């Protein structure tokens, strides 16, 4: 893989710079002030490849906060919403209730339903 | 159980302290991510979609009840109260903070647990039959040899930076429950014509993007040469394995490119040089390791005690579970209990801290304090008196751990997929739970019989999809989840890869399609005893193709 600095960026539509936070792995996104936010809606929306590349480079210099920054497609409506399933899962978590010792928390919805 | 010696205990504690220092230096900026990544991987720490993941080694899948309690505690204190058992007999936690990792490793070390060599390009956790030491059909306990290998491979200085990861599995029974044919090296304990016990050595098996079945490297390797021979294999691989292309770096590609005969010639040449040196296993060393394996003192008991017979006759749910989840034990009057971690509708292979604590208690009461992890992502209580089975079942049932679906379609091997994994193309867990829910009626599932359904969320094949009777592989098309289906794979002594049924289908169609495939099988099978995989073997995938298309 090309080093990110040499990557030619092709983007279509809106993107953000996203990463995981170094200390705990939590998903974070780069804001227009050059900070990082857990909230995707607070992310800076970038529209051109040049803008995105510049923001990515700046993010890569933030190695003490953000691990593995990359460019992710979003929908701008007008704040950023996940642009694909992967980003949706990064934002909202796994698509099923997590196992829990509190039984009511995740009773399967179709238990007992018999296949026709 | 195996009792670790002082060397192991000191070493694990030192390693945890070393990692604390490495994490501190990363967090303070003294080391960069590029420098840190190999260090964290050497300690089992990955970065996933939402968080760090920690993979903890469970050598040859054997745990004491105290170790299981420790794992439950880690889940409760540092994670979100559950863990995920993997096909390589390890456990993974999905939500641990990097800044907590050093404390986690210190805490694990208190119970003799660690995460060393669970990741990175080294010799990984040696896996084996989850019934090792109790299976009636085995030649001897393969864990003894897995322990010899563990000691040899742990931090082996020469093999810390191999071209790629290296996985070894070992079995001692004719029926292979450890999937040795899809490992870099597969070992089978065998008896030769003279009645001596030694190893059959297979090499170059593996799954992933280029799946290969392991090839026979040596028919019979005398026991005392196990380590010297493996050293010769690893040395040959280390010298000749490809480092230019990560996808071609496993030993299976070397075997494929140079042929097993050439590899054998190279290995045996190296082996001739070292076989009678210090790596030759001497009796005193072997006796010491053997003495550290402590077996329960089995009572003299009869098979099928009266109490069991009465309970089986009186309680149909118990009888169903018993038929499904209890296997014969080598000691009369005992049974091997598989604890399904595939409750209908829940993520396969996951267990909560509460369940693990409950199991630890049950292991103490009913199974000599011992628990095993199997590659199908279930747990095993290996030493249960048959007269205790009914009481045990009632308690398992209360803890949600008595789903009678072992080896049935809902007992799927499932990788974390796109819900957790940063490499995934598509989700695995929701597919698995939806299929399980479709076949939630255990009577229907039982009438279908043994059917291994394996799901991977990408070509890396962590979910063993190639060797599932039904294999499901997640692929991505234009940002949408699609799934390829293969039929007829097997992971046992007759291991083979499934054949592709046809073009990939979208997420929404998978469950209906699987049900049509199963219904097609019910129509096509010659008798109720012909297993799904045997019908596919007899007829090929052709007659199943119509299942890909809904009949409107
Ligand atoms: C969630 C984080 C995981 C990551 C990043 C990951 C990564 C990978 C990669 C890159 C490969 C391909 C290696 C190769 O072909 O050279 C692989 C293979 C494999 N992994 Fe995972 N894996 C993960 C989780 C798991 C889990 C949960 C399991 C068990 C359920 C597992 C078991 C395996 C197995 C059995 C293989 C294929 C066997 C082989 O190496 O040939 N992995 N994994
Ligand atoms: S098969 Fe792919 S998606 Fe599944 S855990 Fe492995 S790397 Fe992740």
């Amino acid at each position: 893989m090309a080093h990110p600095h040499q990557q030619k960026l092709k983007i279509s539509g809106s993107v953000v710079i996203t990463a995981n936070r170094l200390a705990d792995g939590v998903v974070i996104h780069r804001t227009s002030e050059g900070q990082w936010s857990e909230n995707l809606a607070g992310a800076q929306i970038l529209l051109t490849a040049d803008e995105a590349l510049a923001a990515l480079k700046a993010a890569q210099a933030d190695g003490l906060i953000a691990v593995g920054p990359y460019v992710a497609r979003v929908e701008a409506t007008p704040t950023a919403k996940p642009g694909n399933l992967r980003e949706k899962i990064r934002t909202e978590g796994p698509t099923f209730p997590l196992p829990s010792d509190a039984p009511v928390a995740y009773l399967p919805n179709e238990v007992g339903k018999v296949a026709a | 159980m195996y009792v670790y010696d002082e060397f192991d205990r000191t070493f694990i504690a030192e390693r945890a302290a070393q990692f604390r220092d490495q994490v501190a230096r990363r967090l303070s900026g003294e080391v960069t991510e590029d420098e840190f990544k190999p260090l964290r991987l050497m300690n089992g720490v990955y970065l996933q979609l939402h968080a760090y993941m920690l993979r903890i080694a469970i050598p040859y899948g054997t745990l004491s009840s105290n170790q299981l309690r420790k794992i439950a505690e880690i889940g409760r204190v540092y994670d979100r109260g559950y863990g995920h058992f993997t096909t390589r007999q390890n456990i993974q936690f999905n939500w641990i903070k990097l800044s907590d990792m050093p404390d986690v490793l210190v805490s694990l070390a208190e119970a003799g647990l660690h995460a060393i060599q669970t990741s990175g390009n080294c010799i990984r956790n040696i896996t084996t039959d989850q019934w090792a030491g109790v299976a009636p059909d085995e030649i001897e306990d393969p864990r003894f040899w897995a322990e010899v290998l563990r000691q040899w491979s742990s931090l082996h200085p020469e093999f810390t930076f191999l071209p790629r990861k290296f996985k070894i599995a070992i079995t001692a029974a004719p029926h292979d429950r450890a999937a040795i044919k899809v490992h870099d090296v597969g070992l089978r304990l065998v008896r030769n014509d003279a009645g001596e016990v030694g190893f059959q050595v297979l090499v170059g098996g593996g799954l992933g993007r280029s799946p290969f079945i392991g090839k026979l490297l040596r028919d019979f390797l005398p026991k005392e040469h196990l380590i010297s021979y493996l050293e010769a294999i690893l040395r040959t691989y280390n010298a000749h394995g490809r480092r230019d292309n990560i996808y071609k770096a496993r030993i299976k590609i070397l075997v494929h490119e140079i042929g097993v005969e050439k590899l054998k010639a190279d290995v045996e040449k190296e082996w001739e040089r070292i076989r009678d040196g210090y790596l030759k296993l001497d009796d005193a060393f072997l006796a010491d390791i053997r003495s550290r394996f402590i077996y329960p003192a089995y009572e003299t008991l009869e098979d099928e005690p009266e109490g069991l017979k009465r309970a089986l006759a009186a309680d149909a749910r118990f009888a169903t579970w018993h038929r499904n989840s209890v296997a014969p034990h080598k000691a009369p009057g005992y049974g091997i209990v598989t604890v399904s971690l595939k409750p209908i509708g829940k993520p396969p292979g996951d267990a909560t801290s509460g369940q693990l604590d409950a199991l630890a208690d049950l292991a103490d009461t009913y199974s000599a304090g011992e628990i095993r992890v199997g590659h199908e992502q279930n747990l095993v209580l290996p030493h249960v008196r048959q007269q205790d089975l009914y009481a045990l079942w009632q308690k398992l049932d209360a803890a949600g751990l008595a789903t009678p679906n072992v080896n049935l379609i809902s007992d799927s091997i499932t990788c974390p997929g796109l819900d957790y994994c940063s490499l995934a193309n598509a989700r695995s867990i929701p597919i698995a739970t939806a299929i399980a829910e479709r076949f939630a009626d255990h009577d229907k599932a039982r009438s279908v019989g043994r059917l291994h359904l394996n799901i991977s969320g990408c070509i890396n094949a962590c979910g063993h999809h190639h060797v599932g009777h039904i294999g499901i592989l997640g692929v991505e098309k234009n940002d949408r989840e699609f799934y390829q289906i293969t039929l007829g794979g097997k992971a046992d002594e007759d291991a083979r890869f499934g054949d592709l049924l046809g073009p990939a289908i979208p997420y929404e169609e998978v469950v209906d399609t699987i049900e049509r495939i199963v219904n097609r099988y019910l129509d096509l099978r010659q008798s109720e005893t012909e297993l799904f995989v045997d019908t596919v073997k007899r007829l090929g995938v052709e007659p199943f193709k119509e299942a890909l298309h809904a009949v409107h």
Side-chain angles (χ1 to χ4, degrees), chain B residues 320 344 402-405 408 410 439-447:
Chain B
T320 297
I344 305 301
T403 314
N405 62 346
L408 302 183
S410 51
F439 290 90
D441 175 357
H442 297 308
D443 289 333
K444 161 124 183 171
R446 238 189 336 280
S447 73

Side-chain angles (χ1 to χ4, degrees), chain B residues 305-320 322-323 390:
Chain B
E306 275 312 311
L308 173 65
K309 279 192 210 152
R310 269 198 308 276
L312 287 171
D315 191 329
R317 283 182 66 234
F318 169 60
T320 297
H322 181 270
R323 233 186 348 263
Y390 189 49

Side-chain angles (χ1 to χ4, degrees), chain A residues 3 20-27 63-64 66-68 70 73 83-86 89-101 103 106-116, chain B residues 26-29 33 47-52 80-82 95-99 344-347 350 352-355 418-420 422 424 427 429-430 437-438 440-441 444 479 481 515 519:
Chain A
H3 190 273
N20 292 80
R21 192 158 59 206
L22 173 62
D24 57 9
V26 166
V27 175
L64 259 185
V67 183
Y70 65 93
R73 201 161 57 73
N84 59 30
L85 181 61
R86 184 177 196 273
I89 290 171
R90 284 182 77 238
T91 308
E92 295 167 14
T95 59
F96 44 81
L98 301 184
S100 156
D101 281 321
Y106 80 146
L107 271 185
N109 47 19
E110 281 192 82
V111 163
K113 228 188 207 179
V114 177
Chain B
R26 173 70 185 109
L27 292 175
S28 73
E33 184 62 17
L47 183 57
Q48 291 291 89
L49 284 185
H50 326 272
Y52 289 96
R80 298 196 180 172
Y82 69 96
W95 304 97
I96 299 184
K97 294 179 179 142
L98 181 62
S99 50
I344 305 301
K346 301 187 188 177
D350 282 7
T352 65
S353 291
Q355 288 177 323
L418 189 57
D419 286 289
Y420 292 100
S422 54
R427 284 173 293 167
I429 293 169
E437 283 170 357
R438 184 63 62 89
D441 175 357
K444 161 124 183 171
D479 251 356
E481 298 167 287
E515 188 176 16
N519 286 339

Side-chain angles (χ1 to χ4, degrees), chain B residues 326-383:
Chain B
V326 183
H329 194 285
K330 69 173 188 197
Y334 284 78
I336 306 172
V337 170
T338 300
V339 177
S340 167
L341 292 184
K342 319 289 173 67
I344 305 301
K346 301 187 188 177
D350 282 7
T352 65
S353 291
Q355 288 177 323
L356 296 180
D357 274 339
L359 266 172
D361 291 348
L362 293 177
D364 279 340
T365 311
Y366 298 112
S367 183
E370 194 175 322
I371 301 99
R372 306 287 183 82
V373 185
H375 90 270
E376 296 91 351
Q377 301 175 289
N378 290 321
L379 299 180
V380 169
L381 295 173
H383 317 283

